[in-house]
Amino acid sequence: MGGMLAVSAQEAPLIDPFGRAITYLRVSVTDRCDFRCVYCMAENMTFLPKAELLTLEELDRLCSAFVRQGVRKLRLTGGEPLVRRNIMWLIESLSRHLKTGALDELTLTTNGSQLARFADKLAEYGVKRINVSLDTLDPDKFVELTRWGKFDKVMDGLAAAKSAGLAIKINAVALRGVNDDETDRLIAWCGREGYDLTFIEVMPMGDIGGETRVDQYLPLSVLRADIEKRWTLTDLDYSTGGPARYVRVAETGRRIGFITPMTHNFCESCNRVRLTCTGTLYMCLGQEDAADLRAPLRASPDDDRPLDAAIAEAIGRKPKGHDFVIDRRRRQPAVGRHMSVTGG
Ligand code: SAM
Ligand code: SF4
Protein backbone atom coordinates (compact mmCIF):
# COMPACT_ATOMS: atom_id res chain seq x y z
CA MET A 1 0.00 0.00 0.00
CA GLY A 2 3.09 2.23 0.04
CA GLY A 3 2.37 3.41 -3.50
CA MET A 4 -1.05 4.55 -2.40
CA LEU A 5 0.34 6.84 0.25
CA ALA A 6 2.96 8.24 -2.08
CA VAL A 7 0.31 9.83 -4.33
CA SER A 8 -1.53 12.85 -3.02
CA ALA A 9 -5.30 12.50 -2.83
CA GLN A 10 -5.54 15.89 -4.51
CA GLU A 11 -4.44 14.32 -7.78
CA ALA A 12 -7.53 12.08 -7.64
CA PRO A 13 -5.42 9.04 -8.38
CA LEU A 14 -6.86 5.92 -9.82
CA ILE A 15 -5.91 3.16 -7.41
CA ASP A 16 -6.45 -0.46 -8.38
CA PRO A 17 -7.51 -3.27 -6.02
CA PHE A 18 -3.86 -4.10 -5.33
CA GLY A 19 -2.95 -0.58 -4.24
CA ARG A 20 -1.20 0.33 -7.50
CA ALA A 21 -1.71 3.93 -8.65
CA ILE A 22 -2.57 4.07 -12.35
CA THR A 23 -0.56 6.95 -13.73
CA TYR A 24 0.36 5.75 -17.20
CA LEU A 25 -1.97 5.36 -20.19
CA ARG A 26 -0.92 3.79 -23.47
CA VAL A 27 -3.16 4.52 -26.40
CA SER A 28 -3.23 2.52 -29.58
CA VAL A 29 -4.42 5.21 -32.00
CA THR A 30 -4.77 2.79 -34.92
CA ASP A 31 -4.45 -0.96 -35.38
CA ARG A 32 -3.03 -0.42 -38.87
CA CYS A 33 0.61 -0.45 -39.77
CA ASP A 34 2.88 0.03 -42.77
CA PHE A 35 5.04 -2.94 -41.58
CA ARG A 36 4.14 -6.58 -40.98
CA CYS A 37 6.71 -7.66 -38.40
CA VAL A 38 6.78 -11.45 -38.22
CA TYR A 39 6.38 -11.67 -34.43
CA CYS A 40 3.59 -9.09 -34.39
CA MET A 41 1.31 -9.66 -37.36
CA ALA A 42 0.41 -12.18 -40.00
CA GLU A 43 1.05 -10.93 -43.52
CA ASN A 44 -2.64 -10.77 -44.31
CA MET A 45 -4.36 -8.91 -41.56
CA THR A 46 -7.98 -7.84 -41.30
CA PHE A 47 -8.05 -4.43 -39.71
CA LEU A 48 -10.94 -2.65 -38.08
CA PRO A 49 -13.32 -0.86 -40.42
CA LYS A 50 -12.41 2.82 -40.24
CA ALA A 51 -15.97 3.64 -39.16
CA GLU A 52 -15.40 1.84 -35.86
CA LEU A 53 -12.48 4.01 -34.86
CA LEU A 54 -12.86 6.78 -32.36
CA THR A 55 -12.32 10.17 -33.93
CA LEU A 56 -9.24 12.09 -32.90
CA GLU A 57 -11.49 14.45 -30.95
CA GLU A 58 -12.93 11.49 -29.05
CA LEU A 59 -9.46 10.12 -28.34
CA ASP A 60 -8.49 13.53 -27.04
CA ARG A 61 -11.51 13.60 -24.74
CA LEU A 62 -10.76 10.12 -23.45
CA CYS A 63 -7.07 10.81 -22.83
CA SER A 64 -8.00 14.05 -21.10
CA ALA A 65 -10.39 12.17 -18.81
CA PHE A 66 -7.49 9.97 -17.70
CA VAL A 67 -5.24 12.99 -17.20
CA ARG A 68 -7.97 14.58 -15.09
CA GLN A 69 -7.98 11.44 -12.95
CA GLY A 70 -4.26 11.44 -12.28
CA VAL A 71 -2.56 9.92 -15.33
CA ARG A 72 0.84 11.64 -15.67
CA LYS A 73 2.25 9.87 -18.71
CA LEU A 74 0.68 9.25 -22.11
CA ARG A 75 2.22 7.04 -24.76
CA LEU A 76 0.74 6.87 -28.25
CA THR A 77 1.31 3.62 -30.02
CA GLY A 78 -0.48 1.26 -32.38
CA GLY A 79 -0.27 -0.24 -35.01
CA GLU A 80 1.91 2.52 -36.26
CA PRO A 81 0.76 5.74 -34.59
CA LEU A 82 2.28 8.00 -37.24
CA VAL A 83 0.23 6.44 -40.06
CA ARG A 84 -3.05 7.56 -38.49
CA ARG A 85 -4.36 10.41 -40.59
CA ASN A 86 -3.93 13.80 -38.96
CA ILE A 87 -2.25 12.31 -35.89
CA MET A 88 -0.26 15.49 -35.35
CA TRP A 89 -3.51 17.28 -34.54
CA LEU A 90 -4.02 14.92 -31.59
CA ILE A 91 -0.43 15.32 -30.41
CA GLU A 92 -0.64 19.09 -30.58
CA SER A 93 -3.94 19.06 -28.78
CA LEU A 94 -2.73 16.74 -25.99
CA SER A 95 0.36 18.86 -25.54
CA ARG A 96 -1.81 21.40 -23.70
CA HIS A 97 -1.66 19.07 -20.70
CA LEU A 98 2.13 19.35 -20.71
CA LYS A 99 1.84 23.12 -20.66
CA THR A 100 -0.49 23.09 -17.64
CA GLY A 101 1.76 20.62 -15.83
CA ALA A 102 -1.06 18.05 -15.58
CA LEU A 103 1.02 15.65 -17.66
CA ASP A 104 4.70 14.86 -17.11
CA GLU A 105 5.28 13.17 -20.42
CA LEU A 106 3.75 12.76 -23.85
CA THR A 107 5.59 10.21 -25.92
CA LEU A 108 5.22 7.56 -28.57
CA THR A 109 6.42 4.20 -29.76
CA THR A 110 7.00 4.09 -33.49
CA ASN A 111 8.61 1.96 -36.15
CA GLY A 112 10.37 5.10 -37.38
CA SER A 113 9.07 4.95 -40.94
CA GLN A 114 7.40 8.38 -40.77
CA LEU A 115 9.82 10.15 -38.44
CA ALA A 116 11.61 12.06 -41.15
CA ARG A 117 8.30 13.86 -41.81
CA PHE A 118 7.24 14.39 -38.23
CA ALA A 119 10.25 14.63 -35.92
CA ASP A 120 10.43 18.44 -35.87
CA LYS A 121 6.74 18.79 -35.11
CA LEU A 122 6.94 16.21 -32.34
CA ALA A 123 9.71 18.19 -30.68
CA GLU A 124 7.73 21.40 -31.15
CA TYR A 125 4.72 19.84 -29.37
CA GLY A 126 6.74 18.94 -26.32
CA VAL A 127 7.64 15.33 -27.04
CA LYS A 128 11.05 14.79 -25.47
CA ARG A 129 11.76 11.09 -25.90
CA ILE A 130 10.53 8.44 -28.30
CA ASN A 131 10.87 4.70 -28.56
CA VAL A 132 11.80 3.42 -31.99
CA SER A 133 11.43 -0.29 -32.66
CA LEU A 134 14.36 -1.75 -34.56
CA ASP A 135 15.37 -5.38 -34.21
CA THR A 136 18.29 -5.54 -36.62
CA LEU A 137 20.91 -3.36 -38.33
CA ASP A 138 21.17 -5.72 -41.26
CA PRO A 139 19.08 -4.29 -44.14
CA ASP A 140 18.26 -7.75 -45.56
CA LYS A 141 17.24 -9.14 -42.21
CA PHE A 142 15.21 -6.00 -41.64
CA VAL A 143 13.14 -6.79 -44.73
CA GLU A 144 12.71 -10.41 -43.63
CA LEU A 145 11.56 -9.31 -40.19
CA THR A 146 9.29 -6.40 -41.07
CA ARG A 147 8.22 -7.84 -44.45
CA TRP A 148 7.18 -4.37 -45.73
CA GLY A 149 9.65 -2.07 -43.99
CA LYS A 150 12.20 0.19 -45.70
CA PHE A 151 15.45 0.19 -43.73
CA ASP A 152 16.80 3.45 -45.18
CA LYS A 153 13.61 5.29 -44.35
CA VAL A 154 13.93 4.24 -40.71
CA MET A 155 17.58 5.36 -40.65
CA ASP A 156 16.54 8.72 -42.13
CA GLY A 157 13.78 8.95 -39.53
CA LEU A 158 16.21 8.29 -36.71
CA ALA A 159 18.58 10.95 -38.02
CA ALA A 160 15.72 13.46 -38.20
CA ALA A 161 14.62 12.62 -34.66
CA LYS A 162 18.14 13.03 -33.38
CA SER A 163 18.63 16.37 -35.04
CA ALA A 164 15.26 17.54 -33.71
CA GLY A 165 16.68 16.92 -30.23
CA LEU A 166 14.49 13.93 -29.34
CA ALA A 167 16.03 11.39 -26.98
CA ILE A 168 15.80 7.98 -28.60
CA LYS A 169 15.41 4.53 -27.15
CA ILE A 170 15.67 1.59 -29.50
CA ASN A 171 13.34 -1.32 -28.74
CA ALA A 172 14.54 -4.68 -30.03
CA VAL A 173 12.56 -7.88 -29.66
CA ALA A 174 15.00 -10.72 -28.89
CA LEU A 175 14.46 -13.45 -31.44
CA ARG A 176 16.26 -16.75 -31.22
CA GLY A 177 18.34 -17.50 -34.27
CA VAL A 178 17.33 -14.22 -35.89
CA ASN A 179 18.99 -11.28 -34.15
CA ASP A 180 20.77 -12.94 -31.21
CA ASP A 181 24.02 -12.77 -33.21
CA GLU A 182 23.63 -8.98 -33.48
CA THR A 183 23.51 -8.05 -29.85
CA ASP A 184 27.04 -6.63 -29.74
CA ARG A 185 26.49 -4.70 -32.92
CA LEU A 186 23.28 -3.16 -31.56
CA ILE A 187 24.92 -2.24 -28.25
CA ALA A 188 27.92 -0.65 -29.95
CA TRP A 189 25.78 1.21 -32.50
CA CYS A 190 23.46 2.59 -29.82
CA GLY A 191 26.55 3.65 -27.87
CA ARG A 192 27.90 5.56 -30.87
CA GLU A 193 24.57 7.16 -31.76
CA GLY A 194 23.72 8.09 -28.17
CA TYR A 195 20.60 5.90 -27.95
CA ASP A 196 19.42 3.77 -25.08
CA LEU A 197 18.48 0.22 -25.98
CA THR A 198 15.82 -2.08 -24.61
CA PHE A 199 15.44 -5.75 -25.31
CA ILE A 200 11.96 -7.28 -25.16
CA GLU A 201 10.92 -10.89 -24.81
CA VAL A 202 8.49 -12.04 -27.45
CA MET A 203 4.97 -12.37 -26.05
CA PRO A 204 2.27 -14.78 -27.19
CA MET A 205 -0.27 -12.33 -28.57
CA GLY A 206 -2.41 -12.92 -31.64
CA ASP A 207 -2.09 -15.40 -34.46
CA ILE A 208 0.94 -14.68 -36.63
CA GLY A 209 0.44 -17.24 -39.37
CA GLY A 210 2.86 -20.10 -39.93
CA GLU A 211 5.55 -19.24 -37.38
CA THR A 212 5.26 -20.03 -33.71
CA ARG A 213 6.65 -18.10 -30.79
CA VAL A 214 8.18 -21.24 -29.34
CA ASP A 215 10.76 -20.97 -32.11
CA GLN A 216 11.18 -17.20 -31.72
CA TYR A 217 11.31 -17.02 -27.94
CA LEU A 218 14.66 -16.19 -26.35
CA PRO A 219 14.62 -15.63 -22.58
CA LEU A 220 16.42 -12.39 -21.74
CA SER A 221 18.16 -14.07 -18.82
CA VAL A 222 20.05 -16.05 -21.47
CA LEU A 223 20.69 -12.95 -23.58
CA ARG A 224 21.92 -10.96 -20.59
CA ALA A 225 24.29 -13.72 -19.49
CA ASP A 226 25.72 -13.74 -23.00
CA ILE A 227 26.11 -9.93 -23.11
CA GLU A 228 27.90 -10.00 -19.76
CA LYS A 229 30.67 -12.12 -21.22
CA ARG A 230 31.84 -9.12 -23.23
CA TRP A 231 30.34 -5.98 -21.68
CA THR A 232 30.46 -4.61 -18.14
CA LEU A 233 26.91 -4.16 -16.89
CA THR A 234 25.92 -2.43 -13.65
CA ASP A 235 22.33 -2.61 -12.37
CA LEU A 236 20.62 0.77 -12.12
CA ASP A 237 17.67 2.00 -10.05
CA TYR A 238 16.65 4.15 -13.02
CA SER A 239 13.05 3.83 -14.22
CA THR A 240 11.10 5.60 -16.94
CA GLY A 241 7.81 4.57 -15.39
CA GLY A 242 7.64 1.60 -17.74
CA PRO A 243 8.36 -2.07 -17.11
CA ALA A 244 12.05 -2.22 -18.12
CA ARG A 245 14.89 -2.94 -15.69
CA TYR A 246 18.02 -1.02 -16.60
CA VAL A 247 21.76 -1.56 -16.52
CA ARG A 248 24.60 0.80 -17.49
CA VAL A 249 27.12 -0.43 -20.04
CA ALA A 250 30.52 0.79 -18.84
CA GLU A 251 32.08 0.57 -22.32
CA THR A 252 29.49 2.81 -24.03
CA GLY A 253 28.13 4.81 -21.09
CA ARG A 254 24.58 4.07 -22.33
CA ARG A 255 21.73 2.21 -20.68
CA ILE A 256 20.30 -1.13 -21.67
CA GLY A 257 16.80 -2.10 -20.52
CA PHE A 258 15.35 -5.57 -20.26
CA ILE A 259 11.60 -6.10 -20.54
CA THR A 260 11.00 -9.58 -19.27
CA PRO A 261 7.30 -10.31 -19.07
CA MET A 262 7.96 -14.02 -19.59
CA THR A 263 10.91 -14.81 -17.34
CA HIS A 264 10.27 -12.27 -14.63
CA ASN A 265 6.87 -11.26 -13.50
CA PHE A 266 6.76 -7.53 -14.05
CA CYS A 267 3.19 -7.05 -12.86
CA GLU A 268 3.89 -6.16 -9.25
CA SER A 269 4.66 -2.52 -9.94
CA CYS A 270 2.29 -2.15 -12.90
CA ASN A 271 1.03 1.42 -13.21
CA ARG A 272 -0.40 1.11 -16.72
CA VAL A 273 -3.61 0.56 -18.60
CA ARG A 274 -4.16 0.40 -22.35
CA LEU A 275 -6.76 2.01 -24.54
CA THR A 276 -7.56 0.83 -28.05
CA CYS A 277 -8.58 3.01 -30.98
CA THR A 278 -12.19 1.86 -30.51
CA GLY A 279 -12.31 3.00 -26.90
CA THR A 280 -11.84 -0.38 -25.24
CA LEU A 281 -9.76 -0.23 -22.09
CA TYR A 282 -7.58 -3.23 -21.29
CA MET A 283 -6.53 -3.22 -17.69
CA CYS A 284 -3.80 -5.80 -18.40
CA LEU A 285 -1.80 -6.55 -21.54
CA GLY A 286 -2.03 -10.28 -20.84
CA GLN A 287 -5.71 -10.69 -19.94
CA GLU A 288 -8.91 -10.60 -21.95
CA ASP A 289 -11.00 -8.55 -19.51
CA ALA A 290 -11.79 -5.10 -20.89
CA ALA A 291 -14.09 -2.13 -20.37
CA ASP A 292 -15.96 -0.31 -23.10
CA LEU A 293 -15.42 3.42 -22.72
CA ARG A 294 -16.87 4.33 -26.10
CA ALA A 295 -20.47 3.92 -24.94
CA PRO A 296 -20.20 6.31 -21.94
CA LEU A 297 -18.09 8.67 -24.05
CA ARG A 298 -20.75 8.90 -26.75
CA ALA A 299 -23.75 8.75 -24.45
CA SER A 300 -22.85 11.99 -22.71
CA PRO A 301 -21.00 14.37 -24.99
CA ASP A 302 -21.49 17.30 -22.62
CA ASP A 303 -21.05 15.56 -19.30
CA ASP A 304 -17.81 13.81 -18.36
CA ARG A 305 -19.15 12.22 -15.17
CA PRO A 306 -20.39 8.93 -16.70
CA LEU A 307 -17.05 8.56 -18.48
CA ASP A 308 -15.08 9.26 -15.30
CA ALA A 309 -17.23 6.74 -13.44
CA ALA A 310 -16.69 4.09 -16.14
CA ILE A 311 -12.92 4.62 -15.92
CA ALA A 312 -12.92 4.33 -12.13
CA GLU A 313 -15.05 1.18 -12.33
CA ALA A 314 -12.65 -0.37 -14.86
CA ILE A 315 -9.58 0.37 -12.73
CA GLY A 316 -11.41 -1.33 -9.88
CA ARG A 317 -11.24 -4.52 -11.95
CA LYS A 318 -7.54 -4.39 -12.84
CA PRO A 319 -6.20 -7.93 -12.38
CA LYS A 320 -3.10 -8.79 -10.44
CA GLY A 321 -1.10 -9.93 -13.45
CA HIS A 322 -0.86 -11.81 -16.71
CA ASP A 323 -0.79 -15.55 -17.37
CA PHE A 324 1.53 -15.64 -20.37
CA VAL A 325 3.05 -19.04 -21.03
CA ILE A 326 5.06 -20.10 -24.07
CA ASP A 327 5.43 -23.85 -24.29
CA ARG A 328 5.10 -26.62 -26.79
CA ARG A 329 1.87 -28.03 -25.40
CA ARG A 330 0.06 -24.72 -25.64
CA ARG A 331 0.15 -23.79 -29.32
CA GLN A 332 -2.49 -21.06 -29.11
CA PRO A 333 -1.53 -17.48 -28.23
CA ALA A 334 -2.26 -16.64 -24.57
CA VAL A 335 -4.45 -13.77 -25.71
CA GLY A 336 -6.16 -13.71 -29.08
CA ARG A 337 -5.62 -10.06 -29.92
CA HIS A 338 -2.45 -8.86 -31.59
CA MET A 339 0.01 -6.53 -29.90
CA SER A 340 -1.02 -3.89 -32.45
CA VAL A 341 -4.49 -3.73 -30.86
CA THR A 342 -3.19 -2.62 -27.48
CA GLY A 343 0.15 -1.29 -28.64
CA GLY A 344 2.52 -3.17 -26.36
N1 SAM B 1 4.42 0.15 -34.62
C1 SAM B 1 5.08 0.69 -33.48
C2 SAM B 1 6.41 0.01 -33.26
O1 SAM B 1 6.64 -1.05 -33.84
O2 SAM B 1 7.16 0.55 -32.47
C3 SAM B 1 4.27 0.65 -32.22
C4 SAM B 1 3.43 -0.57 -31.95
S1 SAM B 1 4.33 -2.07 -31.68
C5 SAM B 1 3.01 -3.22 -31.45
C6 SAM B 1 4.99 -1.80 -30.07
C7 SAM B 1 6.13 -2.70 -29.67
O3 SAM B 1 5.63 -4.01 -29.50
C8 SAM B 1 7.26 -2.80 -30.66
O4 SAM B 1 8.49 -2.51 -30.01
C9 SAM B 1 7.23 -4.24 -31.11
O5 SAM B 1 8.52 -4.72 -31.38
C10 SAM B 1 6.61 -4.92 -29.93
N2 SAM B 1 5.93 -6.18 -30.23
C11 SAM B 1 5.02 -6.46 -31.18
N3 SAM B 1 4.58 -7.74 -31.09
C12 SAM B 1 5.22 -8.30 -30.04
C13 SAM B 1 5.19 -9.58 -29.41
N4 SAM B 1 4.41 -10.56 -29.85
N5 SAM B 1 6.00 -9.77 -28.34
C14 SAM B 1 6.80 -8.79 -27.86
N6 SAM B 1 6.86 -7.56 -28.39
C15 SAM B 1 6.08 -7.30 -29.47
FE1 SF4 C 1 3.75 -2.65 -37.09
FE2 SF4 C 1 4.97 -2.18 -34.78
FE3 SF4 C 1 3.67 -4.51 -35.19
FE4 SF4 C 1 5.91 -4.05 -36.50
S1 SF4 C 1 5.70 -4.22 -34.29
S2 SF4 C 1 3.97 -4.82 -37.41
S3 SF4 C 1 5.85 -1.89 -36.83
S4 SF4 C 1 2.75 -2.51 -35.09
Side-chain angles (χ1 to χ4, degrees):
M1 300 295 267
M4 203 168 159
L5 295 174
V7 181
S8 99
Q10 214 184 355
E11 290 166 29
L14 295 163
I15 306 284
D16 83 356
F18 303 94
R20 297 171 296 192
I22 305 308
T23 54
Y24 182 0
L25 177 69
R26 296 192 181 200
V27 188
S28 174
V29 296
T30 173
D31 62 334
R32 288 166 197 255
C33 188
D34 51 346
F35 290 9
R36 289 289 181 280
C37 301
V38 292
Y39 49 80
C40 181
M41 294 190 182
E43 187 151 20
N44 293 312
M45 295 284 291
T46 310
F47 293 112
L48 291 162
K50 290 208 170 127
E52 279 191 30
L53 262 56
L54 295 182
T55 64
L56 294 174
E57 288 79 2
E58 287 174 323
L59 279 171
D60 185 318
R61 200 173 147 221
L62 260 178
C63 291
S64 302
F66 278 91
V67 172
R68 192 166 57 239
Q69 295 199 62
V71 159
R72 310 279 319 167
K73 173 168 172 174
L74 272 181
R75 176 178 298 279
L76 305 187
T77 170
E80 174 47 41
L82 295 180
V83 302
R84 171 102 196 228
R85 187 188 297 252
N86 226 356
I87 188 64
M88 295 316 272
W89 177 87
L90 178 65
I91 296 175
E92 181 179 16
S93 177
L94 291 172
S95 72
R96 72 188 184 279
H97 298 304
L98 291 171
K99 293 193 188 116
T100 64
L103 202 58
D104 294 329
E105 184 167 28
L106 175 60
T107 184
L108 72 161
T109 301
T110 170
N111 65 23
S113 68
Q114 310 299 314
L115 273 178
R117 276 162 69 199
F118 292 130
D120 286 340
K121 280 279 170 216
L122 290 172
E124 186 186 324
Y125 298 151
V127 174
K128 300 258 183 285
R129 313 184 294 141
I130 53 171
N131 289 355
V132 180
S133 303
L134 180 69
D135 308 312
T136 176
L137 288 168
D138 175 332
D140 294 330
K141 216 187 275 181
F142 181 85
V143 174
E144 272 170 43
L145 269 176
T146 62
R147 293 192 183 107
W148 296 2
K150 303 260 185 307
F151 185 74
D152 291 345
K153 245 180 132 182
V154 174
M155 290 298 127
D156 292 349
L158 281 166
K162 196 168 157 181
S163 70
L166 299 175
I168 294 167
K169 182 159 74 79
I170 300 293
N171 277 351
V173 177
L175 298 161
R176 181 186 293 283
V178 178
N179 63 358
D180 45 355
D181 60 339
E182 272 197 82
T183 320
D184 291 340
R185 190 176 175 194
L186 276 167
I187 295 173
W189 176 75
C190 285
R192 280 198 305 278
E193 297 291 330
Y195 306 151
D196 285 340
L197 170 63
T198 292
F199 291 106
I200 308 175
E201 285 175 347
V202 76
M203 289 172 244
M205 299 188 64
D207 189 7
I208 50 171
E211 306 193 41
T212 78
R213 265 111 185 177
V214 180
D215 302 323
Q216 298 174 339
Y217 176 53
L218 171 63
L220 289 190
S221 48
V222 174
L223 188 82
R224 180 176 170 156
D226 180 56
I227 294 173
E228 277 185 313
K229 289 179 193 154
R230 294 170 305 280
W231 304 86
T232 318
L233 309 184
T234 319
D235 284 307
L236 295 176
D237 276 339
Y238 173 79
S239 162
T240 58
R245 288 152 184 269
Y246 286 92
V247 297
R248 170 89 54 205
V249 187
E251 290 80 0
T252 65
R254 304 299 317 178
R255 281 182 287 254
I256 299 186
F258 296 95
I259 300 187
T260 55
M262 306 304 298
T263 49
H264 190 283
N265 201 325
F266 70 158
C267 306
E268 221 165 86
S269 57
C270 183
N271 57 354
R272 305 172 282 289
V273 287
R274 295 168 163 87
L275 184 68
T276 73
C277 55
T278 54
T280 302
L281 187 73
Y282 284 96
M283 284 71 83
C284 174
L285 180 64
Q287 302 280 356
E288 301 284 5
D289 187 31
D292 172 31
L293 299 181
R294 184 170 59 181
L297 177 84
R298 290 192 171 162
S300 57
D302 303 315
D303 179 4
D304 283 327
R305 283 171 300 180
L307 178 60
D308 288 354
I311 291 172
E313 190 276 331
I315 301 300
R317 284 196 274 135
K318 183 169 161 68
K320 194 165 181 198
H322 68 67
D323 306 314
F324 286 147
V325 187
I326 292 184
D327 68 21
R328 295 207 173 266
R329 278 158 296 159
R330 189 159 145 179
R331 306 297 291 191
Q332 294 302 316
V335 293
R337 62 184 188 275
H338 289 89
M339 189 70 108
S340 48
V341 174
T342 39

